[in-house]
Amino acid sequence: MLNSLLYFGTAQPTGVVSDEQWQAFVNDSIVPRFPDGFTVWPATGQWRDAAGLPVREASYVLNLVHPANDDTSQSLKAITARYKERFQQEAVLHVQSGVCVAW
């Protein structure tokens, strides 16, 4: 199995992604692709933008444990692309690692 962490910044050119907008994104873009479950939590992060300037912003982290297959990979890419387009983001960080899972 794989563990994926996706980091979604909330700063936009026109303000910030509201809690309501985030929840709508989760319901529309994440739940249909991963109905078996996932975990989301709020965070605060810092990164360098394209100009090399430090940016601090509120974020959300999506944690998903999933099989290593093309369907899941494509779903994660689709979520990332949709978020970037919908909320005018430069990037969504995706960290992935192998894990052992027991139920």
Side-chain angles (χ1 to χ4, degrees):
M1 299 287 278
L2 296 175
N3 184 58
S4 287
L5 296 168
L6 277 70
Y7 295 82
F8 301 90
T10 60
Q12 302 182 85
T14 58
V16 297
V17 177
S18 69
D19 291 340
E20 294 79 16
Q21 289 173 310
W22 169 253
Q23 192 57 56
F25 177 79
V26 169
N27 293 341
D28 297 345
S29 301
I30 301 173
V31 171
R33 289 178 174 89
F34 299 104
D36 291 339
F38 53 86
T39 302
V40 173
W41 64 87
T44 303
Q46 178 175 313
W47 61 288
R48 291 202 184 275
D49 67 11
L53 300 173
V55 176
R56 291 183 186 96
E57 64 183 308
S59 307
Y60 291 99
V61 180
L62 168 66
N63 188 180
L64 180 67
V65 177
H66 58 87
N69 61 44
D70 287 340
D71 289 342
T72 302
S73 179
Q74 292 305 316
S75 290
L76 291 170
K77 287 178 183 178
I79 289 168
T80 298
R82 179 174 245 170
Y83 190 84
K84 287 167 56 178
E85 180 182 332
R86 186 169 178 177
F87 297 113
Q88 302 170 349
Q89 299 292 301
E90 287 183 29
V92 172
L93 176 64
H94 181 183
V95 177
Q96 188 168 276
S97 58
V99 294
C100 294
V101 177
W103 275 261

